[in-house]
Amino acid sequence: MLQKYEAVTWFDADGWKLAGNARTVGQRQTKQTWAQFEAYQKDPENVPPPDGYTPPFNKADREAEMRAAHAVFQARLDAAIARGDWDPASREVNAP
């Protein structure tokens, strides 16, 4: 279900969400916003962006974001284990 929602979710340059699914509409989004956005996507040279939104628009990609976050946290955990700050066997922090 998440992939279905993400397929029609975009963010503007200021981070404001636009969504093509009624269950996930953005905070500032009106009923006309998505139609304006679709028209803009088809002809950005001649059609203005939706009212209140700033190009460029970026597609949501939560899977890539979560993979990147996991890599950061895994590196931090690995570093803590290497320093002896974390014991993976007991799952406890080793006090200095």
Side-chain angles (χ1 to χ4, degrees), residues 4 18 34 40 44 47 53 55 58 60 66 72 84 88 91 94:
K4 182 175 127 179
L18 294 108
W34 187 253
Y40 171 79
V47 176
Y53 291 87
N58 297 302
M66 290 297 125
V72 168
R91 297 184 179 175
N94 295 324

Side-chain angles (χ1 to χ4, degrees), residues 10 18 32-42 48-50 57:
W10 293 75
L18 294 108
Q32 295 79 28
T33 302
W34 187 253
Q36 290 173 347
F37 179 64
E38 288 181 313
Y40 171 79
Q41 280 186 303
K42 289 178 185 172
F57 295 93

